[in-house]
Amino acid sequence: MDPMTQSAQISSSQGLADGQNSAAKESKLSDSFLSSSPVSLIQSPQVKDLIHWRDPKKSGVVFGLSLLLLLSLAAFSFISVASYLLLALLCVTITFRIYKSVVQAVQKSSDGHPFKTLIEKDVSIPPETFRKHVDSSLTHINRALKQMSRLFLVEDLVDSLKLAVVMWLFTYVGAVFNGITILILADILLFAVPPVYEKNKTQIDQYIDVIRTQINTTMAK
């Protein structure tokens, strides 16, 4: 075989292998990003059980506490809410500590500190866990920076125009709602929509299909 032909074939095979390796790396990065995205968190079995009210008591407690926290943030500043929460926690722990001390003194027992097991518990974050979350956050940050650069530097005119329209619509949303109000509505919808959809899935899917068909027909015209 001609040496030049053989060299060309070797270079071609190396280029193909490099392309496959690059594609495999990109696919792996994409899968890693999707597996650590908020969407995967919402789709986790624990969160699904909460928002579908599998255990009404647990879902009620989570929904009530989250709504109470958001309403508190709507009425007071974050510093005030955090201070009141920490103060309430301190009042509970100090009261319980004094109560147990009095009981031990009256009964002349030597049970020791009531929070001894919690004090001796290791609450430090392992370096591996910290690095894992940092790497996951870095993936999100890099992807966000890449998207912002692509949109604001108008790499694709259509996508940049879409972003401009969305931001223009958000100016009207911001004139009616503030951020905390949107979070309150999102919290209510998160716990209200899934059970309703689950009970009326067939009818809702039919209406959604009709609406989607009308939108596609209008867009085609």
Side-chain angles (χ1 to χ4, degrees), residues 40-95:
S40 64
L41 177 62
I42 295 176
Q43 292 178 346
S44 65
Q46 295 84 355
V47 176
K48 275 190 172 182
D49 290 342
L50 279 177
I51 63 179
H52 284 89
W53 297 78
R54 306 284 188 239
D55 186 348
K57 291 183 179 179
K58 185 183 295 185
S59 298
V61 169
V62 173
F63 174 61
L65 290 177
S66 61
L67 188 61
L68 179 62
L69 177 62
L70 291 173
L71 290 174
S72 300
L73 290 172
F76 307 100
S77 67
F78 174 79
I79 295 176
S80 298
V81 174
S83 299
Y84 278 122
L85 287 175
L86 294 176
L87 182 61
L89 179 62
L90 274 174
C91 290
V92 171
T93 54
I94 291 173
T95 303

Side-chain angles (χ1 to χ4, degrees), residues 71-133:
L71 290 174
S72 300
L73 290 172
F76 307 100
S77 67
F78 174 79
I79 295 176
S80 298
V81 174
S83 299
Y84 278 122
L85 287 175
L86 294 176
L87 182 61
L89 179 62
L90 274 174
C91 290
V92 171
T93 54
I94 291 173
T95 303
F96 185 74
R97 174 75 170 86
I98 294 173
Y99 168 76
K100 294 296 290 185
S101 298
V102 172
V103 170
Q104 290 176 14
V106 171
Q107 297 179 350
K108 297 181 180 179
S109 62
S110 57
D111 294 337
H113 200 287
F115 299 117
K116 183 178 180 181
T117 55
L118 295 176
I119 292 174
E120 293 176 349
K121 187 176 181 180
D122 185 15
V123 295
S124 60
I125 301 176
E128 296 79 9
T129 304
F130 180 78
R131 282 194 292 268
K132 178 182 176 182
H133 286 85

Side-chain angles (χ1 to χ4, degrees), residues 28 62 104 114 153 161 164 196 207 219:
K28 185 177 180 182
V62 173
Q104 290 176 14
L153 298 179
L161 289 175
V196 173
Y207 288 122
M219 293 298 292

Side-chain angles (χ1 to χ4, degrees), residues 152-170:
F152 285 98
L153 298 179
V154 199
E155 179 180 337
D156 188 324
L157 181 60
V158 176
D159 288 343
S160 297
L161 289 175
K162 288 179 182 178
L163 178 64
V165 171
V166 171
M167 293 298 102
W168 177 69
L169 292 175
F170 272 140

